[in-house]
Amino acid sequence: MAHEHHDTNGPAWNKAAETALTRAGEQWTAMRASIFDVLAGFDKPASAYDIADAVSKAQGRRVAPNSVYRILDLFVNANLARRVESANAYLANTHPDCIHDCIFLVCDQCGQTTHLDNDPITRSVRDAASGAGFRTARPVIEVRGTCAECDAAPVQVS
């Protein structure tokens, strides 16, 4: 069944994230809020190291990437973030109330990543896996290539 997504941003996004995390039985702590704010501020997938650096600068104290990884894993499990497997990087989920399998379009030139929800495609992947006797936990489909912006950019010759 198709439905409309209403991507959230700003304070509404933070509130949606807090609500989703507490509904998952977890606490919305100051550190988790800081990490979510930083993650939501990136326009491309960010690594735990990128996030740790940004949070460290904002707080004026060192935040360890291991701590960030733990929180990001929690965010992924609560549907607040998506993991781009091939880049070992994360995107904040703009609609944490909707559960979908991921399809990512990853630009090999600029790193921009677009998240698509296409339930018929991901359902087909789950069905094919099931037909092969495989029980899926979380299918992630990544398509590598060139985004429209990079494709339209003039080629620079040295």
Side-chain angles (χ1 to χ4, degrees):
M1 173 171 36
H3 63 276
E4 287 287 317
H5 286 291
H6 300 286
D7 289 349
T8 8
N9 55 38
W13 195 3
N14 289 3
K15 187 62 181 165
E18 179 180 356
T19 300
L21 193 63
T22 54
R23 190 175 34 246
E26 298 290 342
Q27 292 182 342
W28 185 255
T29 65
M31 179 57 75
R32 291 173 181 175
S34 295
I35 289 173
F36 186 81
D37 286 343
V38 165
L39 178 62
F42 280 96
D43 63 345
K44 295 179 187 172
S47 72
Y49 290 90
D50 296 333
I51 296 164
D53 287 345
V55 173
S56 295
K57 287 177 187 167
Q59 293 189 356
R61 65 180 182 90
R62 183 180 179 277
V63 174
N66 286 346
S67 298
V68 173
Y69 270 118
R70 282 191 294 275
I71 292 171
L72 289 170
D73 285 343
L74 179 72
F75 285 177
V76 168
N77 289 331
N79 202 39
L80 303 182
R82 307 283 190 165
R83 183 167 185 256
V84 179
E85 304 286 338
S86 64
N88 192 23
Y90 300 82
L91 290 167
N93 185 359
T94 57
H95 43 87
D97 289 333
C98 296
I99 304 293
H100 294 279
D101 295 325
C102 299
I103 301 174
F104 291 118
L105 307 178
V106 183
C107 181
D108 290 326
Q109 292 185 33
C110 71
Q112 188 64 40
T113 301
T114 303
H115 171 242
L116 301 176
D117 292 324
N118 189 313
D119 293 332
I121 290 174
T122 56
R123 192 174 314 113
S124 292
V125 170
R126 283 182 176 274
D127 291 347
S130 178
F134 189 80
R135 185 171 50 97
T136 58
R138 185 179 54 101
V140 177
I141 301 167
E142 295 183 19
V143 180
R144 307 288 309 208
T146 306
C147 70
E149 190 172 314
C150 288
D151 197 42
V155 176
Q156 302 219 353
V157 180
S158 310

